[in-house]
Amino acid sequence: MVLPRAAKTQRRTRIQEEKEERILEAALEVFSAHGFRGATVDQIADVAGMSKPNLLYYFRTKEAMHRALIDRVLDTWLDPLRAFDAEGNPVAEIRSYIRRKLEMARDFPRESRLFANEVLQGAPHIEDELKGPLKELVDEKAEVIRAWTKAGKIAKCDPYHLIFAIWSTTQHYADFDVQVRAVLGQGNSGEGRFEDAARFLERLFVDGLQVSEQPIS
Amino acid sequence: MVLPRAAKTQRRTRIQEEKEERILEAALEVFSAHGFRGATVDQIADVAGMSKPNLLYYFRTKEAMHRALIDRVLDTWLDPLRAFDAEGNPVAEIRSYIRRKLEMARDFPRESRLFANEVLQGAPHIEDELKGPLKELVDEKAEVIRAWTKAGKIAKCDPYHLIFAIWSTTQHYADFDVQVRAVLGQGNSGEGRFEDAARFLERLFVDGLQVSEQPIS
DNA sequence: TGATAATTTGACCGGTTGGTAAACATTACA
DNA sequence: TGTAATGTTTACCAACCGGTCAAATTATCA
């Protein structure tokens, strides 16, 4: 038998689990830093601490590695949006969505850059995911937001562009990290910038969305 | 004589002007779509409609092309921020800055993606520009905003994160265009999305920044 | 027009790329 | 323990990469 990914036994070997883990970790490191085309298999093998043919024994092509990585990361990445609760307090929900997204930008910047690289270059490998699962989830949550605006719970606004605005402002701190650091300079580029950003963004979105006649406590 | 870029006469030939123009246009197309590493000289030559050695006659290396492109585009790119006027009406200034940035995202998405690709991958070629001219300009304008907040003309907020928020929300429509289109779907992805975005963003920032005690007409 | 400089081309080079073949080593398990 | 499946390595390949070179072509202008 030569094909580990199509083994006749469904169960995966301990070695397979470990190695695939190490490979995907290395792949995340390299793909997120250089994009798909810019990344090389040798580089990933090097970071994973194994030979290139050995790596290609587990993932037969560069594309297969990229796909496996996308599949693994996409779910986690959309969790904060899924947590958006139609029954909750609208302002509190938006506030905690912003906080969660900002935490992810801080704690998982590579995952953010992985997608940013991909989308920026025309999403040639994840077009289906964007038009399928992503769109469906956003449509669902946009409907929740629209219901809130219609009920007068938050200011009237386009729910899609609200979601885009939250995505872009929060992910900015992961995707454009070097620019943020460069502009803030040596002094202010400690981890405190995420707290400053949280304060600013919560205030921006909450004040911008509250219905002025009846601000929510 | 073999080196056109170091010609003894200062004046550039008509042919030089034309060809360098065509090359930079092609380079913008390719670099913005694939990033520096992902782009190939053959590809740029192909888009420019000339042979690779011919292209390398005008720009001796891939890096030289990239640098020339960056230099040419950076100035234009920062124009909207430079137009920020300390003497103007704060809310009007911010509103028109958002509008201008959004127009650039619509009309010059490749320029936006060129920088996005570069910054996303750690800005290896434009680190100096970020820490130098960019930082200085932002520092200057941040001071203007801080003066406005101190004078009570707009709500108190961190000026740097305000600028980041405007950058990220507006450039999102250029850099993440395919995602925006995918989420909005066939129907809503006409050019109308920029007008919707403008409405949303102006409202978000203006309402979020006005001092609630004395809203500006 | 003729000579000189500027431009363009095809052939080519060494290094890197993604990926393969097959021999070798290790593990799992009857 | 033996053996078959699994895992690893060395050597290698064809395609592609950025870039060079010398020869051929075209533009410039005295």
Side-chain angles (χ1 to χ4, degrees):
Chain A
M1 202 46 161
V2 189
L3 309 177
R5 321 237 343 119
K8 56 183 156 193
T9 64
Q10 297 293 350
R11 166 175 74 77
R12 309 233 303 288
T13 314
R14 174 183 51 84
I15 293 181
Q16 276 177 34
E17 302 248 21
E18 283 177 14
K19 290 295 168 72
E20 289 180 9
E21 187 69 25
R22 266 170 59 191
I23 292 170
L24 289 181
E25 159 66 24
L28 175 59
E29 186 72 25
V30 176
F31 280 132
S32 69
H34 303 291
F36 182 78
R37 274 202 75 177
T40 74
V41 177
D42 291 87
Q43 208 177 349
I44 296 170
D46 194 49
V47 172
M50 55 179 85
S51 67
K52 181 168 63 170
N54 194 186
L55 187 153
L56 288 166
Y57 171 72
Y58 291 98
F59 296 93
R60 266 136 76 172
T61 66
K62 188 181 170 184
E63 280 216 24
M65 288 179 40
H66 192 256
R67 167 131 309 270
L69 188 57
I70 293 278
D71 288 347
R72 152 188 284 218
V73 167
L74 188 60
D75 261 355
T76 326
W77 199 245
L78 291 178
D79 274 344
L81 185 54
R82 264 190 284 268
F84 219 94
D85 181 13
E87 309 302 324
N89 176 322
V91 171
E93 285 298 316
I94 289 169
R95 193 193 298 266
S96 81
Y97 182 49
I98 292 168
R99 199 172 48 239
R100 255 185 273 246
K101 286 291 289 178
L102 216 38
E103 282 166 6
M104 296 198 66
R106 183 192 61 197
D107 299 335
F108 306 104
R110 296 178 305 176
E111 283 79 353
S112 185
R113 287 190 207 115
L114 176 75
F115 288 118
N117 261 304
E118 191 59 21
V119 174
L120 187 53
Q121 304 193 1
H125 305 92
I126 62 169
E127 214 191 350
D128 295 344
E129 280 83 355
L130 295 186
K131 291 184 175 171
L134 177 67
K135 175 170 166 47
E136 283 156 31
L137 180 60
V138 174
D139 281 341
E140 178 196 326
K141 299 306 180 179
E143 210 41 59
V144 170
I145 295 172
R146 202 186 302 278
W148 287 344
T149 66
K150 284 202 172 157
K153 291 182 179 173
I154 59 172
K156 213 175 146 195
C157 69
D158 186 318
Y160 290 94
H161 292 278
L162 171 58
I163 291 173
F164 292 153
I166 296 176
W167 283 353
S168 59
T169 49
T170 53
Q171 293 176 3
H172 186 80
Y173 292 94
D175 302 341
F176 293 78
D177 183 55
V178 290
Q179 182 177 263
V180 168
R181 285 171 186 266
V183 168
L184 290 182
Q186 289 288 356
N188 302 36
S189 67
E191 290 309 304
R193 67 187 186 283
F194 283 98
E195 285 157 35
D196 294 343
R199 252 191 304 277
F200 173 83
L201 291 177
E202 286 189 23
R203 192 159 147 42
L204 174 69
F205 283 100
V206 169
D207 288 9
L209 290 173
Q210 279 183 346
V211 180
S212 44
E213 290 87 307
Q214 48 163 24
I216 295 157
S217 68
Chain B
M1 201 49 160
V2 189
L3 307 177
R5 322 240 337 124
K8 55 184 156 193
T9 66
Q10 297 293 350
R11 163 177 74 78
R12 308 233 306 286
T13 315
R14 174 183 50 84
I15 292 181
Q16 276 177 33
E17 302 248 19
E18 283 178 13
K19 288 295 168 71
E20 288 180 10
E21 187 69 25
R22 266 172 57 192
I23 290 170
L24 289 180
E25 159 65 25
L28 175 59
E29 186 73 25
V30 177
F31 280 132
S32 69
H34 302 291
F36 182 78
R37 274 203 75 179
T40 74
V41 177
D42 291 87
Q43 209 177 348
I44 296 170
D46 193 50
V47 172
M50 55 179 85
S51 66
K52 182 168 63 170
N54 195 186
L55 186 152
L56 288 166
Y57 170 73
Y58 292 99
F59 295 92
R60 268 138 74 175
T61 66
K62 187 181 170 185
E63 280 216 24
M65 289 180 37
H66 191 257
R67 168 129 309 270
L69 188 57
I70 293 277
D71 288 347
R72 149 189 287 218
V73 168
L74 188 60
D75 262 353
T76 327
W77 199 246
L78 291 178
D79 274 345
L81 185 54
R82 266 191 284 266
F84 218 94
D85 181 13
E87 310 302 322
N89 176 321
V91 170
E93 285 299 316
I94 288 169
R95 194 193 297 267
S96 81
Y97 181 49
I98 292 168
R99 199 174 47 240
R100 256 186 270 245
K101 286 290 290 178
L102 216 39
E103 281 166 7
M104 297 199 66
R106 182 193 61 198
D107 300 335
F108 306 103
R110 295 177 307 174
E111 283 80 352
S112 185
R113 287 189 209 115
L114 176 75
F115 289 119
N117 260 305
E118 191 58 21
V119 174
L120 187 53
Q121 304 192 2
H125 304 92
I126 61 168
E127 214 192 350
D128 294 344
E129 280 84 354
L130 296 186
K131 291 184 176 172
L134 177 67
K135 175 170 167 46
E136 282 156 31
L137 180 60
V138 174
D139 281 341
E140 177 196 328
K141 298 306 180 179
E143 209 42 58
V144 170
I145 295 172
R146 202 186 301 278
W148 287 344
T149 65
K150 284 202 172 156
K153 290 181 180 174
I154 60 172
K156 213 175 145 196
C157 71
D158 186 317
Y160 289 94
H161 292 279
L162 171 59
I163 291 172
F164 292 153
I166 295 176
W167 283 353
S168 59
T169 50
T170 54
Q171 293 177 2
H172 186 79
Y173 292 94
D175 302 342
F176 293 78
D177 182 55
V178 290
Q179 183 176 264
V180 168
R181 285 172 187 266
V183 167
L184 290 182
Q186 290 287 358
N188 302 37
S189 68
E191 290 308 302
R193 67 187 186 282
F194 283 97
E195 286 156 36
D196 294 343
R199 252 192 303 278
F200 174 83
L201 291 177
E202 287 189 21
R203 190 158 149 42
L204 174 69
F205 283 99
V206 169
D207 288 9
L209 291 173
Q210 279 182 346
V211 179
S212 44
E213 290 88 304
Q214 49 164 25
I216 295 158
S217 70

